[in-house]
Amino acid sequence: MKNKLIAEIFKDIAEILEIKGENFFKIRAYEKAAQSIESLSDDIEIFVNRDTLKDINGIGKDLEEKIREIVSTGKLKYLEELKKDIPEGLIEMLNVPGIGPKTAKLLYEKLDIQDVVMLERMAHAGKIKDLPGMGKKTEENILTGIDLFKKGRERLDLKTATDVAYNIITQLKKLKEVKNINPAGSLRRMKETVRDIDILISSNKPQEIMDAFTELPEVKDTIAKGLTKSSVLTKDNIQVDLRVVDELSYGAALMYFTGSKEHNIKLRQLAIKRGLKLNEYGIFKGEKKIAGKTEEEMYKILDLLYIEPELREDKGEFEASLKDTLPDLIKIEDIKGDLHMHSTWSDGGSSIEEMILKSRELGYEYVAITDHSQGLKIAGGLNVHELDLKRKEIEKLNKKYKDIKILFGTEVDIDSEGNLDYPDNVLREMDIVVAAIHAGFKQSVAIITKRIISACQNKYVNIIAHPTGRLWGSRNEYDIDFGEVFKAARDTNTALEINSFPQRLDLNDINTRMAKEAGVKIVINTDSHIAQHLEMMKFGVAVARRAWLEKKDVLNTMSFSNLKLKGK
DNA sequence: GCCGTTTTCGGCCCGACTGTTTTCAGTCG
């Protein structure tokens, strides 16, 4: 599967061409092609073999050749050549806020600055302010940008972003000048990580709002302040952008600031085709505004059905909207139970009863208590004797709480050879079996794939948990052959998990969508280790929505009587 | 570099804010 590699190569090319000052539209062509290939749900080699590369949006004669070269050799001569002209550090410099291709080029040509380290040194030495078009203020901004770059190289996880955004929204909501307020940007699209936080307000008193915003107690620095747009940096170095528009433009602005960029470009192209102009204030026919108050009317004028924010990535939502085949996305209320959680029996921090009380609060019909298995000593895995005691406790609780069904389960370890950590006669006695990999992450694709497939083939395994093992910020996902895993999961009626933990979100949106298309059943779990964690379910549901999942695609939207777990 | 129900050549999304400029380029989203 070389889709990702090709997309990365095209993106690198685009960045180098930017610095070289190449034709803007040529650069866009590479970016667009990268985006197209990234969002393909099939292996690019299928297109190569069928000779249908040109059917992919944004791929013409030239890029077709380049794709063929990458698929057969694993690299691209053109990129290798380009890299000779431009030091690698220069590309990294583009990630410093305030440094764009033109500035990077200028700094490289005039001062031979080749990376962020040199950039910082020159700025400190006061060498930059004397360059043409630069000045004292720019030099200071570059230094601030470098600080941001160093601290903020990582993106925020969805939970942190949600917490920060709603804290600010709650405070601003109290202002009487605020009419409407919403999160926008990638947070509203519920991307798994968010770089900065966008908030949109409608009001006819923007000055008061901007003043209040920049004076919030969380704010450390004001980066920009105007009447329609202000940006601040919080004490935790999180950038928050606030836009204020009048009420008649709120829908247009919400649409525009929600993005994605690719979705917006497509919207504007559709407007142009109809002889209209679309911007953040509305849709215009000549001088006359014909829509703008709500997103719904904006889409309607473009002959589109309303598109949910999570789908706005230009990954097929326009075509589906035109054909009326948009999915009826799963909602948090559809979730009837959580099938992966821990208790004090293994490495959890809450008792089974505490987990049950919280689950009842969330309105669940059933839950599964799936503590670790015996081999996972570090996580307090249960031996067979302890399993018996735990089962008795669950039986007791099932009698005490008649309104929720408590399943006796385990998260059984898949060892480095692909064997399960309990024998079949133990697994057979469980109400539900979740299997997962906890070690051997560095094995080859073939071996890890085989381990997962053999777990699927066990007739008592119902779910594969966190299938790619990534822990955002500390561990990359391990490579698996998704095609093979999906096939095995589908054929053995094994569900693949979306783990709702903000550091996991595994499967991610792209893999989940591929799994759905391959006919695999998905289950959304929290993997909670304390009762509070059960609330993370909304983040897993967000991944599912971004993956176009409907209620029927997800195992734990079924009522208990319809669960139909294999081996039971 | 791609693409075509105005076009196989000449287009390719749009506007706010900043800083260094006397009218605008660069960056960002």
Side-chain angles (χ1 to χ4, degrees):
Chain A
M1 186 92 165
K2 293 197 167 123
N3 301 32
K4 211 171 166 183
L5 172 72
I6 293 168
E8 290 305 319
I9 288 179
F10 285 176
K11 279 188 215 167
D12 285 350
I13 291 174
E15 291 196 315
I16 295 177
L17 293 180
E18 257 199 306
I19 295 173
K20 291 179 73 118
E22 273 274 2
N23 179 311
F24 171 74
F25 298 105
K26 181 171 168 181
I27 297 164
R28 273 269 313 276
Y30 276 101
E31 284 171 347
K32 212 174 146 197
Q35 153 91 10
S36 274
I37 289 165
E38 219 169 22
S39 59
L40 287 178
S41 54
D42 286 316
D43 194 327
I44 189 92
E45 294 187 45
I46 295 176
F47 292 86
V48 174
N49 295 334
R50 291 185 189 154
D51 200 16
T52 52
L53 281 171
K54 281 226 189 69
D55 295 347
I56 301 171
N57 196 7
I59 306 298
K61 190 161 166 284
D62 184 274
L63 293 187
E64 173 177 5
E65 281 311 305
K66 290 193 165 75
I67 291 171
R68 286 183 185 280
E69 183 185 335
I70 299 167
V71 167
S72 64
T73 68
K75 54 187 184 185
L76 184 65
K77 278 209 189 84
Y78 179 55
L79 176 62
E80 311 290 316
E81 288 300 316
L82 282 176
K83 277 186 172 170
K84 286 182 189 160
D85 300 336
I86 303 284
E88 209 145 323
L90 218 52
I91 298 168
E92 192 187 35
M93 260 166 57
L94 296 180
N95 295 323
V96 175
I99 302 277
K102 297 286 190 309
T103 310
K105 188 175 181 218
L106 178 79
L107 293 168
Y108 175 52
E109 285 174 350
K110 300 281 180 191
L111 293 173
D112 198 32
I113 292 176
Q114 300 196 11
D115 55 36
V116 179
V117 178
M118 286 172 75
L119 176 65
E120 186 171 20
R121 208 179 318 142
M122 292 302 220
H124 271 305
K127 303 268 190 206
I128 292 174
K129 63 177 187 299
D130 302 326
L131 293 176
M134 303 280 120
K136 195 163 172 357
K137 194 79 203 220
T138 307
E139 192 169 78
E140 282 167 18
N141 284 343
I142 287 176
L143 283 169
T144 318
I146 292 173
D147 274 347
L148 276 178
F149 166 80
K150 285 187 192 161
K151 286 172 191 151
R153 215 175 297 194
E154 285 166 19
R155 297 168 64 100
L156 301 172
D157 69 76
L158 197 49
K159 180 177 188 317
T160 308
T162 305
D163 290 350
V164 172
Y166 281 93
N167 171 32
I168 291 176
I169 287 175
T170 309
Q171 295 184 65
L172 292 179
K173 232 181 190 164
K174 291 181 188 148
L175 300 173
K176 59 179 188 313
E177 293 87 358
V178 171
K179 292 236 161 56
N180 296 296
I181 181 164
N182 267 96
S186 50
L187 179 60
R188 183 160 180 248
R189 302 200 313 281
M190 298 295 271
K191 271 196 84 168
E192 59 186 26
T193 61
V194 171
R195 196 191 301 282
D196 49 29
I197 291 168
D198 293 299
I199 297 173
L200 181 69
I201 285 178
S202 69
S203 172
N204 43 25
K205 296 246 172 83
Q207 188 65 59
E208 281 85 342
I209 305 224
M210 290 308 186
D211 289 345
F213 174 59
T214 52
E215 281 158 24
L216 285 174
E218 289 75 15
V219 170
K220 186 176 76 177
D221 257 328
T222 300
I223 301 168
K225 188 176 176 188
L227 272 184
T228 65
K229 175 187 169 183
S230 293
S231 296
V232 301
L233 210 54
T234 69
K235 287 175 178 153
D236 299 320
N237 287 306
I238 297 169
Q239 185 173 328
V240 183
D241 296 343
L242 177 69
R243 329 271 177 153
V244 181
V245 298
D246 78 59
E247 231 179 331
L248 293 176
S249 297
Y250 194 69
L254 190 56
M255 179 186 240
Y256 173 67
F257 293 120
T258 297
S260 64
K261 188 175 154 199
E262 292 76 16
H263 184 88
N264 285 347
I265 289 174
K266 197 69 157 272
L267 284 170
R268 286 180 180 177
Q269 288 168 343
L270 287 174
I272 290 169
K273 253 187 207 162
R274 287 163 176 74
L276 306 169
K277 187 174 84 160
L278 194 164
N279 59 25
E280 59 256 56
Y281 301 105
I283 298 182
F284 298 83
K285 189 167 201 168
E287 293 295 304
K288 191 170 177 266
K289 174 145 108 181
I290 54 173
K293 201 166 179 209
T294 66
E295 286 186 325
E296 284 79 1
E297 67 176 26
M298 301 275 292
Y299 281 111
K300 194 158 177 232
I301 289 212
L302 299 174
D303 302 317
L304 293 165
L305 296 168
Y306 178 76
I307 297 172
E308 299 279 357
E310 291 93 332
L311 301 184
R312 300 183 194 170
E313 301 287 347
D314 191 18
K315 293 190 176 177
E317 70 273 21
F318 288 104
E319 294 77 357
S321 180
L322 287 167
K323 282 189 291 188
D324 194 9
T325 55
L326 281 169
D328 181 11
L329 294 181
I330 181 174
K331 299 184 214 42
I332 184 81
E333 307 88 82
D334 296 330
I335 299 292
K336 296 239 165 55
D338 194 333
L339 296 173
H340 180 180
M341 69 185 72
H342 300 264
S343 71
T344 45
W345 279 94
S346 62
D347 59 348
S350 303
S351 67
I352 296 183
E353 186 157 16
E354 287 167 327
M355 301 304 276
I356 297 310
L357 289 173
K358 181 72 189 177
S359 297
R360 288 169 74 228
E361 210 181 294
L362 293 171
Y364 289 157
E365 196 183 322
Y366 51 85
V367 293
I369 310 293
T370 55
D371 284 296
H372 289 290
S373 59
Q374 51 193 356
L376 221 61
K377 299 272 190 297
I378 195 168
L382 275 64
N383 62 32
V384 175
H385 173 62
E386 291 165 323
L387 281 178
D388 260 342
L389 299 175
K390 181 180 153 182
R391 181 208 313 275
K392 292 204 175 83
E393 183 181 337
I394 287 180
E395 279 168 5
K396 229 187 267 171
L397 287 168
N398 262 323
K399 279 184 194 136
K400 184 168 175 189
Y401 297 106
K402 297 280 188 208
D403 55 351
I404 187 163
K405 176 73 185 163
I406 310 162
L407 304 184
F408 170 55
T410 180
E411 179 183 1
V412 65
D413 184 47
I414 306 170
D415 78 10
S416 55
E417 261 108 55
N419 301 309
L420 298 178
D421 191 25
Y422 288 128
D424 276 3
N425 65 337
V426 171
L427 296 178
R428 191 178 55 215
E429 301 304 317
M430 307 252 176
D431 297 324
I432 186 164
V433 176
V434 177
I437 284 181
H438 296 95
F441 304 116
K442 298 234 159 76
Q443 291 176 333
S444 70
V445 180
I447 293 179
I448 298 190
T449 302
K450 217 171 129 204
R451 286 165 75 190
I452 295 178
I453 290 175
S454 67
C456 289
Q457 283 163 345
N458 181 292
K459 63 179 165 185
Y460 301 113
V461 170
N462 306 111
I463 293 168
I464 302 291
H466 39 77
T468 76
R470 69 122 169 233
L471 262 179
W472 187 75
S474 58
R475 188 169 71 215
N476 284 334
E477 61 189 48
Y478 41 75
D479 280 333
I480 56 175
D481 184 332
F482 284 107
E484 293 295 312
V485 168
F486 293 158
K487 195 161 162 281
R490 184 192 60 210
D491 294 348
T492 61
N493 189 26
T494 310
L496 297 184
E497 180 181 79
I498 295 175
N499 189 296
S500 306
F501 231 72
Q503 278 72 30
R504 288 196 183 270
L505 297 184
D506 173 18
L507 297 173
N508 68 16
D509 48 1
I510 294 173
N511 294 334
T512 302
R513 192 167 171 192
M514 280 162 55
K516 171 185 170 163
E517 277 161 22
V520 175
K521 195 62 127 183
I522 299 294
V523 59
I524 310 174
N525 294 324
T526 60
D527 196 357
S528 291
H529 283 69
I530 56 170
Q532 262 322 307
H533 288 167
L534 288 162
E535 292 177 2
M536 307 282 195
M537 183 64 82
K538 57 178 178 266
F539 301 118
V541 170
V543 172
R545 288 171 63 86
R546 289 180 55 81
W548 294 50
L549 261 52
E550 304 188 322
K551 186 178 172 183
K552 65 175 164 44
D553 300 315
V554 177
L555 182 70
N556 50 327
T557 60
M558 314 273 165
S559 61
F560 182 67
S561 53
N562 289 333
L563 266 184
K564 290 198 188 74
L565 298 169
K566 79 174 177 190
K568 301 295 169 286

